[in-house]
Amino acid sequence: MKRSLLPILCCPTCKGDLVLSVVEEDESEILEGSLYCSACGVSYPITEGIPDLLPRKKNI
Amino acid sequence: MNAAHSKVRQHYDEVADIYDSRYDRNRGRLYYNRLSENVLELLPKGKHLLDLGCGTGLFIQHYGKYGGAATGLDLSPGMIHKARSRCRMGQFAVGNAEILPFRDESFDALSSLLAFSYLKEPESMIKEAYRVLKPGGIIAVVTLGKNLLTSGLPALYAMGEAMNIRHVGMGDFGERYYSESEMNDLFLEAGFTDILVRRCSFAHINLIDPLYGIARKIEPFVEERLPYLAYNLLASARKPG
């Protein structure tokens, strides 16, 4: 996922802000990490450079 | 994700490797390029595009020829992997077109080619499209139209699935086909203006070869004179402002 995508992303469910955590990044993209919505308590994974923003239920 | 979405996602994950052999070679390329040209004509070029159901990024590649930026969303991670390697200029995410993970007024243009018939809540997708478009932004959707020929497709696809045929788009997904007035109403209810719905591309890729050749020759005539025979509906509209 390119960093340029971040400003237009939001939580699909509540449309609130997402907090980015980076585990692995190269010069052009974030390869592993997550996008966290604190309002929904949901973490959307970034794996192999692809963010998975499918709506889902709380991770409880 | 509901069962119907899971099924579509699983199908496209399975066919991601062979998808481009259908739409990016010979006959498939002609068919897809023709659709792409029709959609491109309607969209502002060199801006920021969102493509819903982007698949392997074929349309984003077309859009990118004129510069600008493009974001692609698809249910299938397998298809997104392909898109990422095809289009370095694009940015991609896995997601549901009916519940978009994008902020209000993020895009100048929005496209969706041959994915709309899979939606369970088309109203949601059109409303979400309206939300993420900037004022003055343009949406263009290509989907299979409702007519004599497509009315036979669900039965054919159900048969294909029962016979275990591994074929792109072949499966019983409970797809929906739309009439011109249904597409018009969906856009109208969401608040769009300058709505235009027309039929295009008579020469469908699933036609057998000799028929396909003939169909391509008479396609412009069919589109102009016999729009009820053409397979695809091309619907476009503008967000006011």
Side-chain angles (χ1 to χ4, degrees):
Chain A
M1 187 191 109
K2 292 174 188 164
R3 278 190 179 265
S4 59
L5 186 61
L6 194 60
I8 59 168
L9 287 182
C10 67
C11 171
T13 307
C14 75
K15 314 299 181 197
D17 292 345
L18 295 169
V19 179
L20 172 70
S21 303
V22 178
V23 174
E24 190 188 345
E25 185 173 9
D26 65 14
E27 63 283 352
S28 59
E29 297 199 66
I30 298 151
L31 299 171
E32 302 288 329
S34 68
L35 295 156
Y36 180 68
C37 173
S38 56
C40 296
V42 169
S43 184
Y44 300 95
I46 303 169
T47 46
E48 295 179 53
I50 299 171
D52 178 353
L53 290 153
L54 282 170
R56 61 202 75 195
K57 295 196 173 83
K58 283 187 182 184
N59 300 329
I60 296 172
Chain B
M1 190 162 45
N2 63 36
H5 283 143
S6 303
K7 193 168 174 184
V8 172
R9 174 173 160 130
Q10 192 191 342
H11 172 75
Y12 280 96
D13 279 344
E14 282 169 6
V15 300
D17 286 337
I18 60 165
Y19 185 87
D20 285 349
S21 66
R22 175 169 156 95
Y23 283 126
D24 200 24
R25 280 196 210 135
N26 307 327
R27 193 170 72 147
R29 180 180 283 171
L30 285 173
Y31 170 69
Y32 200 89
N33 282 357
R34 179 159 177 81
L35 287 185
S36 296
E37 282 161 23
N38 281 317
V39 176
L40 267 175
E41 264 173 37
L42 298 163
L43 298 175
K45 318 277 188 306
K47 301 279 191 169
H48 194 173
L49 171 83
L50 173 62
D51 189 31
L52 297 177
C54 66
T56 60
L58 282 170
F59 183 68
I60 285 182
Q61 193 175 35
H62 278 275
Y63 190 82
K65 283 188 284 192
Y66 300 90
T71 300
L73 192 78
D74 202 284
L75 265 181
S76 157
M79 298 297 263
I80 291 289
H81 271 284
K82 290 276 167 190
R84 255 167 58 88
S85 44
R86 175 193 293 279
C87 310
R88 302 310 297 174
M89 57 74 75
Q91 39 197 11
F92 298 93
V94 172
N96 182 339
E98 294 165 358
I99 315 170
L100 296 178
F102 303 108
R103 292 184 185 280
D104 297 0
E105 302 184 3
S106 294
F107 303 96
D108 307 284
L110 193 148
S111 57
S112 183
L113 282 74
L114 306 176
F116 197 75
S117 59
Y118 291 121
L119 299 178
K120 299 301 153 207
E121 295 172 28
E123 303 84 5
S124 306
M125 187 279 224
I126 301 293
K127 267 186 208 156
E128 281 283 82
Y130 187 91
R131 182 181 66 77
V132 302
L133 274 173
K134 293 176 187 170
I138 304 286
I139 179 173
V141 174
V142 173
T143 189
L144 282 175
K146 201 185 266 180
N147 66 16
L148 286 173
L149 296 167
T150 53
S151 64
L153 282 179
L156 180 70
Y157 286 169
M159 221 183 330
E161 188 174 292
M163 291 164 70
N164 245 329
I165 297 173
R166 187 166 178 256
H167 190 294
V168 176
M170 177 80 82
D172 184 9
F173 303 111
E175 285 183 76
R176 286 175 58 177
Y177 306 112
Y178 296 85
S179 69
E180 282 96 327
S181 65
E182 284 168 335
M183 290 304 288
N184 185 77
D185 291 351
L186 281 169
F187 283 129
L188 197 64
E189 278 160 30
F192 282 104
T193 57
D194 301 342
I195 302 163
L196 184 75
V197 186
R198 63 185 169 91
R199 292 191 170 251
C200 68
S201 267
F202 167 72
H204 190 270
I205 191 169
N206 281 345
L207 290 176
I208 55 169
D209 280 303
L211 258 182
Y212 186 84
I214 297 165
R216 269 192 57 76
K217 277 187 201 138
I218 62 169
E219 188 172 74
F221 172 80
V222 168
E223 283 179 16
E224 195 183 335
R225 302 290 176 82
L226 303 168
Y228 66 91
L229 271 182
Y231 271 70
N232 292 294
L233 276 187
L234 172 58
S236 65
R238 190 174 64 84
K239 179 171 174 172

